[in-house]
């Protein structure tokens, strides 16, 4: 979470306003006070904040690895395989998604984008060491035949975004508080 559109400098715009309309950050984090404070710092620009990427892979311990959770595949092995024994955990991914959506809502983040719908190059496999889907941020797993199967996080995402959009104004209405 260190990237911010427009922070590189340049013309400060009209009346000293930042020369951009929205602040975007990769927001891999947790519910800690430190992460929340990091999010709040981005509001100093007076612009809406978008979490342009957040996510978690599908194994125990993946949430703590944040944006590097995918780095568990040993591509140099023959055949390629996971670099250790991991325990598949779709609940961890689902809990992380729900937690972060709640954090973003509580902190006033305008919008949030999950990292990936499916890891098309990382298919699910019954052999745990070949289950590359564990290294995928996708809310759907890619099966060996190329079909997609929703993970638990898919349902959590649908519920979370459905409840968030129910508060949005209809076309022609003013948004609450704006």
């Amino acid at each position: 979470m260190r990237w911010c559109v427009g922070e590189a400098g340049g013309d400060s715009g009209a009346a000293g306003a930042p020369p951009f309309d929205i602040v975007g950050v990769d927001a891999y984090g947790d519910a800690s006070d430190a992460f929340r404070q990091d999010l709040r710092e981005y509001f100093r620009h007076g612009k809406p904040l978008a979490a342009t990427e957040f996510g978690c892979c599908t194994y125990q311990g993946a949430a703590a690895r944040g944006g590097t959770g995918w780095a568990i595949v040993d591509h140099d092995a023959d055949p390629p395989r996971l670099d250790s024994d991991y325990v598949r955990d779709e609940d961890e991914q689902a809990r992380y998604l729900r937690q972060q959506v709640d954090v973003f809502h509580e902190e006033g983040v305008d919008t949030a984008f999950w990292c990936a719908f499916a890891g098309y190059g990382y298919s699910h496999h019954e052999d745990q060491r070949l289950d590359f889907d564990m290294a995928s941020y996708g809310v759907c797993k890619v099966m060996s035949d190329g079909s997609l199967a929703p993970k638990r996080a898919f349902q959590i995402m649908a519920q979370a975004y459905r409840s968030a959009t129910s508060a949005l104004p209809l076309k022609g209405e003013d948004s609450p508080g704006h």
Side-chain angles (χ1 to χ4, degrees):
M1 193 179 77
R2 291 178 171 69
W3 174 71
C4 180
V5 175
E7 279 197 317
D11 182 3
S12 63
F20 49 93
D21 297 324
I22 192 165
V23 176
V25 298
D26 286 356
Y28 292 90
D30 52 36
S32 70
D33 289 338
F35 178 72
R36 289 170 180 269
Q37 185 57 41
D38 286 346
L39 284 177
R40 291 177 198 135
E41 289 295 318
Y42 289 105
F43 287 107
R44 73 183 183 275
H45 300 289
K47 302 291 185 173
L49 177 60
T52 54
E53 185 176 304
F54 77 105
C56 172
C57 294
T58 316
Y59 59 90
Q60 289 178 3
R65 296 184 73 168
T68 62
W70 58 270
I72 63 169
V73 178
D74 181 355
H75 292 282
D76 294 329
D78 187 20
R81 61 185 164 271
L82 299 184
D83 63 12
S84 188
D85 292 322
Y86 296 91
V87 176
R88 182 175 187 82
D89 190 351
E90 291 188 21
D91 289 332
E92 177 153 349
Q93 185 186 49
R95 281 189 306 272
Y96 178 85
L97 190 151
R98 179 75 258 172
Q99 169 192 287
Q100 291 309 102
V101 167
D102 289 346
V103 167
F104 296 148
H105 176 75
E106 291 163 9
E107 295 301 326
V109 173
D110 188 66
T111 193
F113 298 95
W114 185 258
C115 179
F117 180 71
Y120 291 97
Y122 282 45
S123 63
H124 175 64
H125 196 283
E126 291 303 316
D127 181 336
Q128 186 172 314
R129 290 297 293 263
L130 301 176
D131 186 5
F132 297 149
D133 178 66
M134 283 197 268
S136 166
Y137 291 86
V139 293
C140 288
K141 56 188 164 191
V142 179
M143 305 307 286
S144 59
D145 65 358
S147 65
L148 298 177
K151 297 181 195 176
R152 289 181 185 94
F154 182 90
Q155 304 304 328
I156 298 299
M157 179 182 284
Q159 292 168 359
Y161 288 1
R162 188 178 309 114
S163 66
T165 58
S166 67
L168 294 176
L170 297 174
K171 187 174 181 177
E173 292 181 348
D174 289 331
S175 63
H178 290 92

